Amino acid sequence: MTALAYEVIPVTDDTQTSVPVSDLDEFLWQTWKAMELPEGYRAEIIEGSIEVSPTGRRRHGVLINRLRQALEFHLKGSDFAPYQDINVLHRRKVWIPDLVVGPLDLDEIPDEEDLGVDAAGVALVVEVVSPGHQNTARDRDRKRREYARAGIPLYVLIDDHDGDGTVVVLTAPNPGKATYADEHRVPYGTDAVIPDGPAKGFAIGEEITRA
């Protein structure tokens, strides 16, 4: 995805803004809920900004579709499934990962306003990194911190733009530090294996990342 607009409000370190974080979060939340976007665009609240971006290019869609189909097969017979284009919410933040693994019945992890699913019940999120500095920074840095703050156990990046392509598997979130303690980077052409959770043993390899 390519960012269309950034920073509805500049942000947001608790120590650097005169607006209390809770007030800012509530303002952004209400603004986000009231937005009417043109077809083909979506909005997320990421680190104190509302970011609007178009849906992905063909390559982006191809990768996610391959991944979703493979995960559906891997998870068949379990109590989990992959989902696309769903709002993941956490403390007045909202993200739309390219793919989410959650319970078969998403009503098990509702959010309080019925706008998506609570991050507390999400087992895995995946982002396919889009070209452009703002896009790569969003997925590699800003969303990495946000998903760690929410305690999402596994964050996977499929990144065409890191050398000749890499898959990054991040585990062991530390919400207080907004970091993942463990990072496993695998070049395209080598299997990146999910180490635990409902998708344990699932391999992201050339059948998914091939051009």
Side-chain angles (χ1 to χ4, degrees), residues 59-75 81-84 97-101 124-128 155-158 167 192 194 199 202-205 207-210:
R59 166 69 174 168
H60 186 278
V62 166
L63 285 172
I64 285 297
N65 195 53
R66 288 175 185 164
L67 183 64
R68 180 183 56 78
Q69 290 178 332
L71 269 169
E72 283 178 344
F73 182 80
H74 183 84
L75 294 168
Y83 299 91
Q84 290 176 254
D98 290 323
L99 189 141
V100 171
V101 172
L124 166 68
V125 292
V126 180
E127 299 286 1
V128 173
Y155 178 28
V156 176
L157 294 99
I158 300 176
V167 178
I194 302 301
F202 178 75
I204 303 171
E207 71 282 358
I208 291 171
T209 61
R210 70 184 188 276

Side-chain angles (χ1 to χ4, degrees), residues 2-209:
T2 303
L4 178 69
Y6 276 79
E7 291 196 327
V8 170
I9 289 182
V11 182
T12 59
D13 180 357
D14 300 14
T15 63
Q16 294 179 355
T17 176
S18 59
V19 180
V21 171
S22 59
D23 290 350
L24 175 61
D25 288 346
E26 184 63 28
F27 174 77
L28 292 172
W29 177 252
Q30 297 301 332
T31 301
W32 175 81
K33 290 197 296 181
M35 293 177 73
E36 295 185 9
L37 296 174
E39 185 176 354
Y41 289 86
R42 60 190 191 177
E44 302 171 280
I45 302 174
I46 304 172
E47 293 198 326
S49 296
I50 295 177
E51 300 191 16
V52 178
S53 54
T55 53
R57 303 180 183 185
R58 182 180 65 245
R59 166 69 174 168
H60 186 278
V62 166
L63 285 172
I64 285 297
N65 195 53
R66 288 175 185 164
L67 183 64
R68 180 183 56 78
Q69 290 178 332
L71 269 169
E72 283 178 344
F73 182 80
H74 183 84
L75 294 168
K76 187 175 182 180
S78 77
D79 294 327
F80 292 85
Y83 299 91
Q84 290 176 254
D85 298 323
I86 191 164
N87 296 331
V88 174
L89 299 112
H90 177 71
R91 296 180 182 174
R92 292 298 194 260
K93 306 292 192 304
V94 57
W95 316 297
I96 309 173
D98 290 323
L99 189 141
V100 171
V101 172
L104 275 174
D105 184 0
L106 288 179
D107 284 341
E108 294 178 10
I109 51 169
D111 75 287
E112 62 187 42
E113 296 190 46
D114 197 30
L115 295 171
V117 296
D118 193 295
V122 169
L124 166 68
V125 292
V126 180
E127 299 286 1
V128 173
V129 180
S130 295
H133 173 72
Q134 297 285 11
N135 297 317
T136 56
R138 179 182 63 236
D139 292 336
R140 294 174 184 170
D141 302 323
R142 295 194 300 280
K143 279 195 167 183
R144 175 176 177 152
R145 291 190 294 265
E146 290 283 56
Y147 292 150
R149 287 186 186 105
I152 293 175
L154 281 153
Y155 178 28
V156 176
L157 294 99
I158 300 176
D159 194 342
D160 279 352
H161 313 288
D162 182 3
D164 293 326
T166 62
V167 178
V168 182
V169 180
L170 299 162
T171 58
N174 183 324
K177 294 183 177 180
T179 60
Y180 282 91
D182 296 327
E183 176 179 328
H184 186 54
R185 304 174 66 83
V186 177
Y188 282 6
T190 303
D191 286 353
V193 180
I194 302 301
D196 49 37
K200 182 178 180 178
F202 178 75
I204 303 171
E206 194 169 8
E207 71 282 358
I208 291 171
T209 61

